[in-house]
Amino acid sequence: MKTLILRTKICAAAMSIASLIASPALASDEVIQKSFFPYANSKPTFDGLSVGLVIDQSNVAQFKDIIDPAFFSFIEKGWTSITVGDTSSLDLHQNYIDASAKGYGNVKLGSEVGEINGWQAGRPFPAQPNEEDPRAGEKMAWNYKYGYNWGDSAAISPFYWKYKNMESAKVERTIKFNFHFLNFKGRVNQVPTPEITPNPSDLFRSIYVQVLAPDDVRNTQLLIHRAADDLKRDNSWLYLGFQRRVRRLATGQVTDAFLGSDLMIEDFEGYNGRISDMNWKYKATRYMLMPFFNHNDLTLDSETHEDDEGYQVVAFSGKGGCFPNITWQLRKVYEVEAIPVNESHPISKRVHFMDAQTFTIPRTVSYDRKGTMWKTFTIGQAHPDHHLAANKGSGVSIDDAFSMIDVQANHCTTGQFKGQVDQELSPPSMFSVQHLRATGS
């Protein structure tokens, strides 16, 4: 009997030890699953909301709780409407998810905003944000910065920006660009992984922009180098085609109107700056209508662009032609507030609505220095499996249309994309000052 009791105690102890050993792994799996597959068990619902429903002036009040304040006001005024689409899971690339799982628990914030330790690749903070954590907003910002936005590299080629008067609907100017993106570190899919070497400047990411038309700004080029150390300032250069010279951009110029548009360089992709340039505050987890859709299911714009592949860009309508003709999904969203550290910054704060699954920023509302709503940014997100054939299986949430509306000036800038996840379009040699000079000469 004593032997049986002893064996029972030993077995119980062994099971307890095994439980202690297994529990972190189980916890990690649960956190990763909730972070990357929020709709695995069920899709969010809201009373009266159904696929195909059109939300306009007549019924928008019913859905006020699931529409951000700026866009609600647009619908309420009759400027636009929302067509509801089915909530779909946009699964990021498995290699990125695996990297996130491998790094879970190893990544820590440093003592200063902009310091992070232990990150190699993937989503650094996949756990649900905690309202009692004073640095939860900062963690959400890192998740965006180290997100799978455009994957390891991609190109928007071509990219059309149209400047529009909202009152007259006149298109004042159209600029045709190529945009290129390249991650030097945290690479999980495109060779080489996990980083490009040599990397003497210790860069994390770079953006290269070239203007194709019209002639007065043709071959204007922008190059941005973002250091791996967030406390180091970006190095940025502008090549002016008409002057045929490269000049370094001063820090303040990233908040100027870029080529006369309604966007700052700092606005690119939702937020194109350092973590350390902002004070971040997590406000809430919400379920909201967000601009996610299947590109190939839309009625598209063949006049602006149609190529040999038959690819057409997203069409626009509504007041001033400032609103993309897309569908919106009810999705899990993190509301995060970003307040500039520099008190002379032209905005007092941005409110970002970050998609919880992809950590893209499909909606941002910006306020001027007096605290009045100034601009509102929509970046439509297309599912890669319903887009160009080359994007299928990439796991990249494709930026597919944008609208930056200056509500004070009654003006907007819209963007129509041909986004391509193809590393051949963005070789590392492209992201250098030497390339600016060689291409411009």
Side-chain angles (χ1 to χ4, degrees), residues 261-273:
S261 72
D262 295 293
L263 280 80
M264 311 170 183
I265 292 173
E266 193 180 80
D267 289 319
F268 292 178
E269 300 180 88
Y271 177 66
N272 180 45

Side-chain angles (χ1 to χ4, degrees), residues 14-273:
M15 289 174 65
S16 177
I17 292 169
S19 175
L20 288 172
I21 293 171
S23 59
L26 292 173
S28 172
D29 288 345
E30 184 177 357
V31 166
I32 294 299
Q33 286 298 310
K34 286 184 176 180
S35 185
F36 288 99
F37 305 100
Y39 314 116
N41 297 322
S42 63
K43 295 180 180 180
T45 60
F46 189 82
D47 287 347
L49 195 74
S50 60
V51 175
L53 177 71
V54 176
I55 300 175
D56 56 22
Q57 273 183 305
S58 68
N59 60 359
V60 69
Q62 181 182 350
F63 303 104
K64 187 173 184 178
D65 291 342
I66 56 171
I67 303 173
D68 70 77
F71 217 88
F72 177 85
S73 71
F74 297 155
I75 299 173
E76 193 176 39
K77 293 173 183 176
W79 290 8
T80 189
S81 61
I82 280 178
T83 300
V84 179
D86 187 23
T87 300
S88 60
S89 184
L90 204 161
D91 300 349
L92 302 188
H93 197 282
Q94 189 61 47
N95 289 356
Y96 182 81
I97 299 172
D98 291 345
S100 305
K102 183 178 179 181
Y104 177 62
N106 299 325
V107 186
K108 309 292 181 186
L109 294 177
S111 58
E112 293 185 49
V113 175
E115 290 183 337
I116 192 169
N117 301 305
W119 178 81
Q120 297 294 323
R123 184 170 294 169
F125 301 105
Q128 171 72 24
N130 184 344
E131 290 182 0
E132 297 181 0
D133 179 0
R135 303 184 75 177
E138 188 183 343
K139 291 175 182 176
M140 298 300 96
W142 280 108
N143 284 352
Y144 163 72
K145 177 172 180 174
Y146 288 153
Y148 203 56
N149 309 338
W150 289 117
D152 296 332
S153 75
I156 307 171
S157 177
F159 192 2
Y160 299 90
W161 288 22
K162 295 181 182 180
Y163 303 5
K164 301 176 181 179
N165 182 309
M166 288 193 77
E167 292 300 326
S168 66
K170 179 183 178 182
V171 177
E172 301 165 340
R173 186 169 177 81
T174 299
I175 298 185
K176 184 179 180 181
F177 297 92
N178 285 338
F179 268 60
H180 300 265
F181 309 89
L182 179 68
N183 285 357
F184 283 81
K185 293 192 173 188
R187 297 168 62 85
V188 297
N189 192 25
Q190 296 177 357
V191 177
T193 59
E195 61 182 295
I196 293 171
T197 56
N199 184 9
S201 299
D202 196 28
L203 301 181
F204 161 61
R205 195 168 192 250
S206 185
I207 299 174
Y208 168 68
V209 178
Q210 183 180 24
V211 177
L212 305 177
D215 286 343
D216 64 321
V217 288
R218 188 177 64 83
N219 217 23
T220 297
Q221 299 170 72
L222 172 68
L223 176 65
I224 301 171
H225 280 177
R226 178 148 300 136
D229 181 354
D230 188 82
L231 298 179
K232 291 184 177 179
R233 295 208 170 273
D234 292 353
N235 283 319
S236 302
W237 297 267
L238 192 66
Y239 177 88
L240 299 173
F242 63 90
Q243 292 184 352
R244 294 193 175 184
R245 69 183 184 91
V246 175
R247 63 180 178 86
R248 189 184 291 269
L249 284 184
T251 302
Q253 290 180 276
V254 300
T255 56
D256 293 340
F258 181 60
L259 295 182
S261 72
D262 295 293
L263 280 80
M264 311 170 183
I265 292 173
E266 193 180 80
D267 289 319
F268 292 178
E269 300 180 88
Y271 177 66
N272 180 45

